[in-house]
Amino acid sequence: MTAVAPHIPPDCQHLVAIFDRCFRRSERTCLVGGADEPFYRAATGDSGFHQIEFSHDYFASALHEIAHWSVAGPARRRQDDYGYWYAPDGRTASQQAEFERVEVKPQALEWLFSEAAGVQFRVSADNLAQGLGPSETFKDAIHNEVMRLCREGVSDRVATFCRALLAFYRPGTELASLLQSERFARSSL
């Protein structure tokens, strides 16, 4: 059901500006492209900015990293990479299962953000070396989480960002319209 807005193609510079308008001052957080690998860099001291660094200039990478930031609570946002350990590409089957367990919420939010921006969402298994694509269980869990968000609503930060994406990429579309379960077909994963 996702369609790219014909008049505004996805552009990381636009995304950086949208994010910064929403959160640079209120959350002391900025979005930065061009990184070799995604990374969240917590501010040092009271005067700096937290940085959400996304890979190269990939729109999907930026949305994914914003989703991780949206899930992280205040204590996690004060730690580099939210204090998590990351298993790189080449994970075992059990490590992949754990990856999928913790990625459900961020990928569900990335799907919401993608829909708000009018771009196609693709589930990421993030384990190319092993040839393990996303499991059907993982896809089901992401879909179930999006359905929960549609029923129960989203956090203030997620709502703020979704509204800003909608205003830019889908003018006239309200958050309530975005959170309609019909927009998120399981078959599209």
Side-chain angles (χ1 to χ4, degrees):
M1 188 165 212
T2 301
V4 176
H7 59 288
I8 306 175
D11 180 291
C12 290
Q13 290 178 336
H14 294 151
L15 197 56
V16 167
I18 292 166
F19 183 88
D20 285 357
R21 272 195 307 276
C22 291
F23 303 113
R24 186 176 183 89
R25 296 182 88 194
S26 65
E27 300 287 339
R28 292 183 39 237
T29 304
C30 57
L31 184 62
V32 179
D36 288 334
E37 292 292 328
F39 190 77
Y40 175 75
R41 194 170 313 281
T44 54
D46 293 333
S47 61
F49 288 90
H50 307 287
Q51 293 184 14
I52 301 170
E53 300 172 1
F54 62 95
S55 291
H56 307 286
D57 277 326
Y58 299 146
F59 199 83
S61 174
L63 292 179
H64 185 79
E65 296 312 311
I66 294 166
H68 274 289
W69 177 80
S70 298
V71 170
R76 289 276 184 200
R77 292 193 312 269
R78 288 191 293 273
Q79 301 175 59
D80 282 347
D81 245 4
Y82 314 107
Y84 290 117
W85 171 81
Y86 175 74
D89 195 6
R91 291 185 290 275
T92 65
S94 63
Q95 288 173 321
Q96 185 64 23
E98 178 63 10
F99 168 85
E100 289 186 359
R101 186 187 69 74
V102 300
E103 278 286 312
V104 169
K105 287 183 180 182
Q107 292 207 25
L109 290 178
E110 181 186 350
W111 195 1
L112 284 179
F113 298 156
S114 296
E115 182 67 23
V119 297
Q120 179 68 42
F121 168 71
R122 289 181 181 83
V123 175
S124 173
D126 198 28
N127 199 9
L128 302 174
Q130 297 297 344
L132 299 174
S135 71
E136 292 305 311
T137 302
F138 186 36
K139 291 178 183 179
D140 287 342
I142 293 168
H143 183 255
N144 290 340
E145 178 65 12
V146 168
M147 293 297 100
R148 185 190 70 75
L149 294 169
C150 288
R151 279 190 317 274
E152 298 175 13
V154 296
S155 71
D156 290 341
R157 283 186 297 149
V158 170
T160 296
F161 190 57
C162 284
R163 284 186 183 107
L165 289 171
L166 290 168
F168 188 80
Y169 288 104
R170 295 176 179 252
T173 305
E174 298 294 326
L175 181 61
S177 176
L178 173 68
L179 295 176
Q180 296 298 310
S181 60
E182 307 82 52
R183 286 184 174 268
F184 302 95
R186 168 58 177 87
S187 60
S188 68
L189 296 179

